[in-house]
């Protein structure tokens, strides 16, 4: 397995990472088998989050006796110090380790969230204290907002960024990735298969391998998935002219029907959570069913039924998505899944 330096963290990690969302859908023993197969194939970068229900605990079981082989990255969605400290203590317990290699602030996608993290009593205070205590080794963040990410990367507060990057969501290559290189901030590509929307792993992974310092972080649910991806790594990485043409066709087809979760469409006058609604199919593919039918997702769907089709969101969308039409389609998709 080839490795790559993760920015100024200095960490040498596997050329491909392991995303810990999909193993929530498995039984505990199945999840452990999947993670261990990743380790056996040389995958050393394991990414999860405090909010991914059973993911941390299952990774903790899988790496028992092999802690020194892996680089563990996890996240806290907390914005205040007290909650962040609680999350860190729980993550350490679940992962069965006394330190976390990379602790990330989860989904810092608004300037308000950024200010909360850095403000008095904010979560950054917990991170700095944990850094001094040796409970974490490095600090990073994830985001879905280009504007926020472009501000955070040069701030000096973070050693890594995790951001959506694939051959459909390819905007990071234009400004964000060069900026990360300039400031030596490690770049982790979340959603390399667009949350399951891109079905051709060969095209998706080979596209990202063209960027030698980017670590793709695909969510893995099956042993066959990681075996296929590692097989891609072992072959030639260059995209053929035929593959480039196929990639461009898919990009053209999805370009007007694919939400990047940038959030520019918000706020909605009817309080519809538009990015969440437009990504329902991705959540269905990655999340446990019990999280899909209750709680935030179910509540968001009910709120979407009150959409008055005003079109304000479409005026603000930088990608000219037919948002009103897509909301209707996704509510219908949700209902079809519920009725199965």
């Amino acid at each position: 397995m080839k490795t790559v330096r993760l920015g100024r963290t200095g960490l040498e990690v596997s050329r491909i990472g392991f995303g810990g969302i999909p193993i929530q859908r498995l039984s505990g023993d199945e999840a452990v088998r999947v993670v261990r197969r990743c380790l056996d194939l040389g995958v050393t970068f394991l990414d999860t989050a405090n909010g991914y229900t059973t993911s941390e605990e299952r990774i903790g079981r899988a790496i028992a006796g092999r802690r020194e082989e892996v680089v563990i990255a996890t996240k806290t969605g907390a914005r205040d110090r007290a909650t962040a400290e609680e999350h860190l203590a729980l993550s350490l317990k679940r992962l069965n380790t006394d330190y976390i290699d990379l602790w990330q602030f989860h989904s810092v996608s608004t300037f308000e969230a950024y200010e909360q993290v850095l403000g008095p009593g904010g979560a950054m205070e917990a991170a700095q204290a944990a850094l001094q205590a040796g409970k974490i080794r490095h600090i990073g963040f994830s985001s879905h907002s280009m504007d926020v990410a472009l501000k955070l990367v040069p701030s000096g507060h973070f050693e890594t960024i995790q951001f959506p990057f694939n051959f459909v969501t390819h905007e990071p290559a234009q400004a964000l990735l060069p900026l990360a290189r300039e400031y030596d901030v490690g770049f982790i590509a979340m959603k390399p298969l667009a949350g399951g929307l891109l079905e051709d792993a060969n095209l998706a992974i080979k596209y990202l391998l063209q960027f030698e310092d980017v670590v793709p972080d695909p969510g893995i649910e099956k042993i066959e998935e990681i075996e296929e991806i590692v097989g891609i790594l072992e072959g030639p990485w260059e995209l053929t002219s035929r593959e480039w043409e196929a990639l461009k066709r898919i990009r053209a087809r999805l370009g007007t029907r694919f939400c990047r979760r940038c959030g520019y469409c918000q706020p909605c006058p009817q309080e519809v959570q538009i990015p969440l609604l437009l990504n329902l199919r991705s959540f269905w593919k990655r999340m446990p069913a019990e999280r899909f039918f209750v709680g935030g997702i179910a509540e968001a769907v009910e709120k979407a039924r009150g959409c008055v089709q005003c079109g304000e969101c479409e005026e603000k969308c930088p990608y000219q998505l037919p948002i009103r039409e897509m909301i209707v389609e996704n509510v219908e998709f949700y209902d079809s899944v519920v009725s199965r």
Side-chain angles (χ1 to χ4, degrees):
M1 173 67 71
K2 294 184 181 295
T3 61
V4 60
R5 174 179 169 272
L6 191 59
R8 66 173 181 266
T9 68
L11 295 167
E12 287 290 329
V13 302
S14 52
R15 192 64 184 81
I16 197 85
F18 165 87
I21 292 180
I23 59 170
Q24 299 173 91
R25 295 160 59 97
L26 307 177
S27 70
D29 289 343
E30 288 173 327
V32 168
R33 281 195 293 271
V34 169
V35 177
R36 286 180 178 166
R37 182 56 179 152
C38 292
L39 302 184
D40 292 341
L41 290 169
V43 177
T44 62
F45 183 72
L46 308 181
D47 179 64
T48 182
N50 173 270
Y52 297 165
T53 61
T54 58
S55 180
E56 286 182 322
E57 182 179 1
R58 290 169 174 188
I59 290 172
R61 285 179 54 196
I63 65 172
R66 305 178 69 170
R67 175 64 181 92
E68 297 307 312
E69 297 179 29
V70 299
V71 171
I72 296 178
T74 192
K75 313 178 193 74
T76 174
R79 304 302 184 228
D80 65 283
R81 177 171 183 165
T83 307
E85 288 176 341
E86 292 174 5
H87 285 183
L88 178 58
L90 186 56
S91 291
L92 289 167
K93 180 180 178 180
R94 288 170 168 171
L95 289 161
N96 193 28
T97 183
D98 56 4
Y99 71 96
I100 288 164
D101 299 282
L102 174 62
W103 200 39
Q104 304 159 97
F105 295 108
H106 202 163
S107 193
V108 184
S109 299
T110 66
F111 290 111
E112 180 184 10
Y114 176 44
E115 291 166 2
Q116 290 171 343
V117 166
L118 288 184
M124 182 60 80
E125 291 184 4
Q128 291 297 332
L131 200 62
Q132 292 297 317
K135 294 181 180 180
I136 65 173
R137 302 286 174 85
H138 304 281
I139 301 171
F141 76 98
S142 71
S143 181
H144 291 89
S145 167
M146 182 66 74
D147 287 348
V148 173
L150 288 171
K151 180 175 181 178
L152 268 61
V153 165
S155 70
H157 296 297
F158 309 99
E159 297 170 273
T160 64
I161 175 175
Q162 187 166 172
F163 199 85
F165 189 19
N166 52 66
F167 70 75
V168 178
T169 308
H170 55 96
E171 295 82 12
Q174 299 166 13
L176 186 57
L177 180 55
L179 188 68
R181 287 170 174 161
E182 179 182 349
Y183 287 89
D184 201 17
V185 172
F187 198 106
I188 304 159
M190 75 162 86
K191 297 181 175 59
L193 282 87
L197 187 63
L198 303 177
E199 297 180 351
D200 190 331
N202 182 64
L203 285 181
I205 298 300
K206 286 175 72 173
Y207 170 78
L208 289 174
L209 292 177
Q210 310 308 303
F211 304 91
E212 61 183 17
D213 48 357
V214 169
V215 181
D217 190 27
I220 302 296
E221 183 176 2
K222 301 175 182 177
I223 286 174
E224 308 90 83
E225 293 171 347
I226 192 60
E227 289 177 340
E228 178 185 8
I229 290 171
V230 170
I232 296 167
L233 288 171
E234 292 173 348
W237 294 2
E238 296 78 13
L239 286 159
T240 66
S241 58
R242 182 173 294 181
E243 287 171 332
W244 273 112
E245 289 303 315
L247 182 154
K248 290 175 183 177
R249 285 195 301 271
I250 296 170
R251 181 184 286 173
R253 176 168 55 85
L254 294 177
T256 58
R257 303 286 297 177
F258 179 58
C259 173
R260 276 79 166 175
R261 295 179 68 183
C262 66
Y264 291 121
C265 57
Q266 301 287 82
C268 165
Q270 277 68 50
E271 300 183 348
V272 176
Q273 297 180 51
I274 297 168
L276 189 156
L277 259 295
L278 301 194
N279 283 275
L280 276 182
R281 286 172 172 80
S282 174
F283 290 127
W284 173 245
K285 286 186 176 182
R286 298 181 295 131
M287 294 290 187
E290 57 269 23
R291 292 191 64 188
F292 194 74
F293 297 131
V294 298
I297 292 178
E299 292 168 5
V301 171
E302 289 308 308
K303 182 73 72 172
R305 299 186 197 279
C307 172
V308 297
Q309 299 280 301
C310 67
E312 183 178 315
C313 52
E314 293 182 4
E315 295 175 2
K316 294 186 289 186
C317 177
Y319 303 103
Q320 292 80 52
L321 294 178
I323 295 176
R324 288 173 289 182
E325 181 180 321
M326 293 170 71
I327 288 175
V328 172
E329 291 173 356
N330 279 281
V331 170
E332 290 175 351
F333 167 77
Y334 184 89
D335 290 342
S336 71
V337 171
V338 170
S339 64
R340 289 179 188 174

